[in-house]
DNA sequence: CCTTGACCTTCCCGTGACTGGAACCCCTAT
DNA sequence: ATAGGGGTTCCAGTCACGGGAAGGTCAAGG
Protein backbone atom coordinates (compact mmCIF):
# COMPACT_ATOMS: atom_id res chain seq x y z
CA UNK A 1 0.00 0.00 0.00
CA UNK A 2 1.40 3.38 -1.02
CA UNK A 3 1.43 6.48 1.11
CA UNK A 4 -1.43 8.32 -0.55
CA UNK A 5 -3.74 5.36 -0.01
CA UNK A 6 -2.74 5.23 3.65
CA UNK A 7 -3.27 8.97 3.89
CA UNK A 8 -6.78 8.52 2.54
CA UNK A 9 -7.57 5.68 4.93
CA UNK A 10 -6.17 7.31 8.05
CA UNK A 11 -7.09 10.87 7.14
CA UNK A 12 -3.53 11.92 7.86
CA UNK A 13 -1.48 14.00 5.38
CA UNK A 14 1.38 12.13 3.67
CA UNK A 15 3.77 14.67 5.19
CA UNK A 16 2.60 13.72 8.65
CA UNK A 17 2.99 10.03 7.93
CA UNK A 18 6.57 10.57 6.72
CA UNK A 19 7.22 12.64 9.80
CA UNK A 20 5.92 9.86 12.06
CA UNK A 21 8.31 7.47 10.39
CA UNK A 22 11.17 9.93 10.73
CA UNK A 23 10.66 10.17 14.49
CA UNK A 24 10.28 6.42 14.82
CA UNK A 25 6.58 6.02 15.54
CA UNK A 26 6.16 3.66 12.61
CA UNK A 27 8.57 1.59 10.51
CA UNK A 28 6.94 0.77 7.20
CA UNK A 29 8.76 -1.61 4.86
CA UNK A 30 10.15 -0.44 1.54
CA UNK A 31 9.56 -1.66 -1.98
CA UNK A 32 12.56 -2.27 -4.23
CA UNK A 33 11.88 1.09 -5.86
CA UNK A 34 12.26 2.89 -2.52
CA UNK A 35 8.55 3.52 -2.04
CA UNK A 36 7.14 2.93 1.44
CA UNK A 37 5.09 -0.28 1.52
CA UNK A 38 2.56 0.01 4.33
CA UNK A 39 1.09 -3.08 5.93
CA UNK A 40 -2.27 -3.20 7.70
CA UNK A 41 -0.46 -2.98 11.02
CA UNK A 42 1.10 0.33 9.98
CA UNK A 43 -2.29 1.69 9.00
CA UNK A 44 -3.72 0.56 12.31
CA UNK A 45 -0.94 2.28 14.22
CA UNK A 46 -1.41 5.46 12.22
CA UNK A 47 -5.14 5.47 12.93
CA UNK A 48 -4.32 5.00 16.62
CA UNK A 49 -1.92 7.92 16.46
CA UNK A 50 -4.44 10.08 14.64
CA UNK A 51 -7.04 9.50 17.35
CA UNK A 52 -4.56 10.09 20.15
CA UNK A 53 -3.44 13.33 18.50
CA UNK A 54 -7.07 14.36 18.05
CA UNK A 55 -7.45 14.01 21.81
CA UNK A 56 -4.56 16.41 22.18
CA UNK A 57 -1.91 13.96 23.35
CA UNK A 58 1.62 15.09 22.57
CA UNK A 59 3.79 13.06 20.25
CA UNK A 60 5.74 11.78 23.23
CA UNK A 61 2.51 10.76 24.93
CA UNK A 62 1.52 9.01 21.72
CA UNK A 63 4.81 7.15 21.70
CA UNK A 64 4.17 6.02 25.26
CA UNK A 65 0.57 5.04 24.56
CA UNK A 66 1.58 3.08 21.48
CA UNK A 67 4.23 1.25 23.47
CA UNK A 68 1.69 0.42 26.16
CA UNK A 69 -0.78 -0.69 23.53
CA UNK A 70 1.75 -3.15 22.18
CA UNK A 71 2.79 -4.37 25.58
CA UNK A 72 0.57 -7.26 26.63
CA UNK A 73 1.96 -7.03 30.14
CA UNK A 74 1.01 -3.38 30.60
CA UNK A 75 -0.84 -2.13 33.65
CA UNK A 76 -3.89 -0.05 32.87
CA UNK A 77 -2.71 2.26 35.66
CA UNK A 78 0.14 3.38 33.40
CA UNK A 79 -2.26 4.27 30.61
CA UNK A 80 -4.59 5.99 33.02
CA UNK A 81 -1.79 8.10 34.46
CA UNK A 82 -0.79 9.39 31.02
CA UNK A 83 -4.41 10.24 30.26
CA UNK A 84 -5.03 11.83 33.63
CA UNK A 85 -1.92 14.01 33.37
CA UNK A 86 -3.01 15.13 29.96
CA UNK A 87 -6.48 15.82 31.26
CA UNK A 88 -5.03 17.94 34.04
CA UNK A 89 -3.13 20.03 31.53
CA UNK A 90 -6.26 20.44 29.47
CA UNK A 91 -8.16 21.65 32.51
CA UNK A 92 -5.43 24.19 33.18
CA UNK A 93 -5.57 25.38 29.60
CA UNK A 94 -9.34 25.61 29.78
CA UNK A 95 -9.20 27.73 32.91
CA UNK A 96 -6.67 30.02 31.27
CA UNK A 97 -8.73 30.38 28.11
CA UNK A 98 -11.95 30.96 30.05
CA UNK A 99 -10.23 33.73 31.95
CA UNK A 100 -9.04 35.33 28.71
CA UNK A 101 -12.47 34.93 27.19
CA UNK A 102 -14.22 36.51 30.16
CA UNK A 103 -11.95 39.54 30.14
CA UNK A 104 -12.14 39.91 26.37
CA UNK A 105 -15.89 39.46 26.28
CA UNK A 106 -16.26 42.22 28.81
CA UNK A 107 -13.90 44.56 26.97
CA UNK A 108 -15.43 43.91 23.56
CA UNK A 109 -18.86 44.52 25.00
CA UNK A 110 -17.73 47.85 26.43
CA UNK A 111 -16.23 49.07 23.17
CA UNK A 112 -18.51 51.14 20.99
CA UNK A 113 -16.86 49.90 17.81
CA UNK A 114 -17.52 53.08 15.89
CA UNK A 115 -15.26 55.60 14.14
CA UNK A 116 -14.30 57.46 17.30
CA UNK A 117 -10.89 56.78 18.87
CA UNK A 118 -12.08 56.22 22.46
CA UNK A 119 -11.67 52.56 23.28
CA UNK A 120 -11.90 50.77 26.63
CA UNK A 121 -9.92 47.86 25.19
CA UNK A 122 -6.87 50.04 24.59
CA UNK A 123 -7.47 51.81 27.88
CA UNK A 124 -7.30 48.51 29.66
CA UNK A 125 -4.14 47.41 27.86
CA UNK A 126 -2.52 50.76 28.59
CA UNK A 127 -3.61 51.05 32.22
CA UNK A 128 -0.89 52.01 34.68
CA UNK B 1 17.15 52.39 32.61
CA UNK B 2 18.82 49.04 31.94
CA UNK B 3 17.11 45.92 30.74
CA UNK B 4 16.96 44.06 34.04
CA UNK B 5 15.22 46.99 35.71
CA UNK B 6 12.70 47.09 32.86
CA UNK B 7 12.26 43.34 33.15
CA UNK B 8 11.49 43.76 36.84
CA UNK B 9 9.00 46.56 36.22
CA UNK B 10 7.18 44.91 33.32
CA UNK B 11 7.51 41.36 34.56
CA UNK B 12 8.87 40.35 31.18
CA UNK B 13 12.10 38.33 30.78
CA UNK B 14 15.05 40.24 29.32
CA UNK B 15 15.11 37.73 26.46
CA UNK B 16 11.55 38.65 25.57
CA UNK B 17 12.32 42.36 25.67
CA UNK B 18 15.29 41.89 23.33
CA UNK B 19 13.11 39.80 21.08
CA UNK B 20 10.46 42.51 20.96
CA UNK B 21 13.11 44.97 19.88
CA UNK B 22 14.42 42.56 17.26
CA UNK B 23 10.99 42.26 15.65
CA UNK B 24 10.45 46.00 15.83
CA UNK B 25 7.82 46.30 18.55
CA UNK B 26 10.00 48.71 20.52
CA UNK B 27 13.03 50.85 19.66
CA UNK B 28 14.91 51.66 22.83
CA UNK B 29 17.81 54.12 22.61
CA UNK B 30 21.38 53.00 23.24
CA UNK B 31 23.98 54.25 25.67
CA UNK B 32 27.50 54.93 24.41
CA UNK B 33 28.55 51.58 25.83
CA UNK B 34 26.00 49.78 23.68
CA UNK B 35 23.57 49.05 26.50
CA UNK B 36 19.88 49.60 25.79
CA UNK B 37 18.64 52.76 27.50
CA UNK B 38 14.92 52.39 28.09
CA UNK B 39 12.71 55.45 28.47
CA UNK B 40 9.40 55.48 30.31
CA UNK B 41 7.62 55.25 26.98
CA UNK B 42 9.39 51.98 26.22
CA UNK B 43 8.41 50.58 29.59
CA UNK B 44 4.83 51.65 29.00
CA UNK B 45 4.77 49.94 25.62
CA UNK B 46 6.25 46.78 27.07
CA UNK B 47 3.64 46.71 29.82
CA UNK B 48 0.99 47.16 27.13
CA UNK B 49 2.48 44.26 25.18
CA UNK B 50 2.69 42.10 28.27
CA UNK B 51 -1.00 42.59 28.99
CA UNK B 52 -2.00 42.00 25.38
CA UNK B 53 0.05 38.79 25.32
CA UNK B 54 -1.51 37.72 28.62
CA UNK B 55 -4.89 38.01 26.88
CA UNK B 56 -3.57 35.65 24.24
CA UNK B 57 -3.17 38.12 21.39
CA UNK B 58 -0.57 37.04 18.82
CA UNK B 59 2.51 39.13 18.28
CA UNK B 60 1.04 40.44 15.03
CA UNK B 61 -2.17 41.37 16.84
CA UNK B 62 -0.04 43.14 19.42
CA UNK B 63 1.73 45.06 16.68
CA UNK B 64 -1.63 46.14 15.29
CA UNK B 65 -3.00 47.06 18.70
CA UNK B 66 0.08 49.08 19.53
CA UNK B 67 -0.17 50.93 16.23
CA UNK B 68 -3.83 51.68 16.91
CA UNK B 69 -2.99 52.79 20.42
CA UNK B 70 -0.51 55.30 19.05
CA UNK B 71 -2.83 56.50 16.32
CA UNK B 72 -4.97 59.34 17.65
CA UNK B 73 -7.15 59.10 14.56
CA UNK B 74 -7.97 55.42 15.09
CA UNK B 75 -11.52 54.11 14.99
CA UNK B 76 -12.49 52.00 17.98
CA UNK B 77 -14.16 49.68 15.47
CA UNK B 78 -10.69 48.63 14.28
CA UNK B 79 -9.64 47.73 17.79
CA UNK B 80 -12.89 45.95 18.44
CA UNK B 81 -12.55 43.85 15.31
CA UNK B 82 -9.10 42.62 16.32
CA UNK B 83 -10.40 41.74 19.76
CA UNK B 84 -13.56 40.10 18.45
CA UNK B 85 -11.61 37.97 15.96
CA UNK B 86 -9.30 36.87 18.73
CA UNK B 87 -12.28 36.13 20.94
CA UNK B 88 -13.80 34.00 18.20
CA UNK B 89 -10.63 31.96 17.95
CA UNK B 90 -10.58 31.52 21.71
CA UNK B 91 -14.16 30.27 21.66
CA UNK B 92 -13.21 27.75 18.98
CA UNK B 93 -10.27 26.59 21.02
CA UNK B 94 -12.46 26.33 24.10
CA UNK B 95 -14.99 24.19 22.28
CA UNK B 96 -12.22 21.95 21.01
CA UNK B 97 -10.66 21.58 24.45
CA UNK B 98 -14.02 20.94 26.12
CA UNK B 99 -14.67 18.19 23.62
CA UNK B 100 -11.29 16.61 24.35
CA UNK B 101 -11.85 16.97 28.05
CA UNK B 102 -15.28 15.35 27.91
CA UNK B 103 -14.00 12.37 25.97
CA UNK B 104 -10.94 12.00 28.17
CA UNK B 105 -12.89 12.39 31.38
CA UNK B 106 -15.18 9.61 30.30
CA UNK B 107 -12.33 7.33 29.28
CA UNK B 108 -10.29 7.97 32.41
CA UNK B 109 -13.34 7.28 34.51
CA UNK B 110 -13.90 3.97 32.76
CA UNK B 111 -10.32 2.81 33.23
CA UNK B 112 -9.69 0.72 36.31
CA UNK B 113 -6.13 1.99 36.67
CA UNK B 114 -4.86 -1.20 38.22
CA UNK B 115 -2.13 -3.65 37.25
CA UNK B 116 -4.24 -5.52 34.69
CA UNK B 117 -3.73 -4.80 31.00
CA UNK B 118 -7.38 -4.26 30.05
CA UNK B 119 -7.90 -0.61 29.29
CA UNK B 120 -10.86 1.16 27.68
CA UNK B 121 -8.62 4.12 26.82
CA UNK B 122 -6.43 1.98 24.58
CA UNK B 123 -9.48 0.18 23.27
CA UNK B 124 -10.94 3.48 22.20
CA UNK B 125 -7.73 4.65 20.54
CA UNK B 126 -7.41 1.31 18.74
CA UNK B 127 -11.04 0.98 17.69
CA UNK B 128 -11.62 0.03 14.06
C1' DC C 1 45.87 48.78 39.91
C1' DC C 2 43.72 44.39 39.79
C1' DT C 3 40.27 41.32 40.42
C1' DT C 4 35.76 39.69 41.18
C1' DG C 5 31.18 39.25 40.09
C1' DA C 6 27.15 41.01 38.22
C1' DC C 7 25.67 43.16 34.55
C1' DC C 8 25.24 43.82 29.47
C1' DT C 9 25.90 42.54 24.34
C1' DT C 10 25.33 39.46 20.03
C1' DC C 11 24.89 35.06 17.90
C1' DC C 12 23.30 30.51 17.21
C1' DC C 13 20.63 26.45 18.28
C1' DG C 14 16.44 24.15 19.97
C1' DT C 15 11.50 23.80 20.93
C1' DG C 16 6.50 20.97 18.68
C1' DA C 17 4.46 19.14 15.12
C1' DC C 18 4.24 19.72 11.31
C1' DT C 19 3.80 22.42 6.22
C1' DG C 20 5.57 24.17 1.79
C1' DG C 21 8.56 23.84 -1.76
C1' DA C 22 12.50 22.39 -4.63
C1' DA C 23 14.83 18.88 -7.06
C1' DC C 24 14.68 14.56 -8.49
C1' DC C 25 13.11 9.42 -9.38
C1' DC C 26 9.44 5.97 -10.92
C1' DC C 27 5.57 4.09 -13.43
C1' DT C 28 1.96 3.92 -16.79
C1' DA C 29 -0.41 5.44 -20.84
C1' DT C 30 -0.44 7.55 -25.13
C1' DA D 1 9.33 10.21 -26.48
C1' DT D 2 6.62 12.49 -23.51
C1' DA D 3 3.20 13.77 -20.22
C1' DG D 4 1.07 13.10 -15.90
C1' DG D 5 0.71 11.65 -11.51
C1' DG D 6 2.68 9.04 -8.25
C1' DG D 7 6.80 8.63 -5.06
C1' DT D 8 11.52 10.17 -2.63
C1' DT D 9 14.81 13.29 0.16
C1' DC D 10 16.25 17.54 2.03
C1' DC D 11 15.90 22.29 3.47
C1' DA D 12 13.49 26.20 5.27
C1' DG D 13 9.81 28.26 7.79
C1' DT D 14 6.26 28.45 11.38
C1' DC D 15 5.46 30.91 16.68
C1' DA D 16 7.35 33.17 20.56
C1' DC D 17 10.58 32.78 22.78
C1' DG D 18 14.58 30.12 26.10
C1' DG D 19 19.35 28.27 26.84
C1' DG D 20 23.88 28.88 26.53
C1' DA D 21 28.41 30.45 24.69
C1' DA D 22 31.75 34.10 23.97
C1' DG D 23 32.91 38.38 25.08
C1' DG D 24 32.50 43.67 26.54
C1' DT D 25 31.35 46.90 30.80
C1' DC D 26 30.85 48.59 35.33
C1' DA D 27 31.11 49.28 40.41
C1' DA D 28 33.12 47.73 44.61
C1' DG D 29 36.68 45.80 47.44
C1' DG D 30 41.63 44.52 48.44
Amino acid sequence: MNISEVARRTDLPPKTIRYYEEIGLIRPARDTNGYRAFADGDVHKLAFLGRARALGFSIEDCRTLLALYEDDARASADVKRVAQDHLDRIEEKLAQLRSMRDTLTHLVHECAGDNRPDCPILQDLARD
Side-chain angles (χ1 to χ4, degrees), chain A residues 5-122:
Chain A
E5 170 68 10
V6 176
R8 199 186 55 72
R9 289 201 200 184
T10 59
D11 208 35
L12 291 173
K15 279 277 192 184
T16 298
I17 297 174
R18 292 194 192 97
Y19 174 65
Y20 287 174
E21 181 187 15
E22 188 189 333
I23 63 175
L25 287 177
I26 54 170
R27 298 183 182 281
R30 295 286 179 142
D31 276 343
T32 51
N33 59 13
Y35 287 17
R36 288 169 184 81
F38 294 88
D40 287 346
D42 296 316
V43 177
H44 194 67
K45 275 194 200 181
L46 286 167
F48 181 104
L49 290 168
R51 280 187 286 263
R53 291 288 299 134
L55 286 178
F57 285 105
S58 71
I59 289 286
E60 284 318 300
D61 281 348
C62 289
R63 195 188 299 278
T64 304
L65 290 171
L66 205 48
L68 287 167
Y69 177 61
E70 297 185 315
D71 177 8
D72 290 339
R74 71 182 165 258
S76 68
D78 291 339
V79 182
K80 188 169 184 171
R81 183 158 19 79
V82 172
Q84 183 64 59
D85 287 355
H86 178 44
L87 190 48
D88 292 348
R89 270 169 280 155
I90 285 181
E91 293 286 6
E92 281 176 31
K93 193 79 182 169
L94 272 171
Q96 202 181 18
L97 282 177
R98 273 194 296 260
S99 162
M100 288 178 185
R101 181 198 55 188
D102 292 348
T103 303
L104 279 167
T105 300
H106 175 71
L107 289 173
V108 164
H109 192 257
E110 295 276 297
C111 177
D114 55 19
N115 60 356
R116 290 172 300 171
D118 316 82
C119 178
I121 301 171
L122 292 180

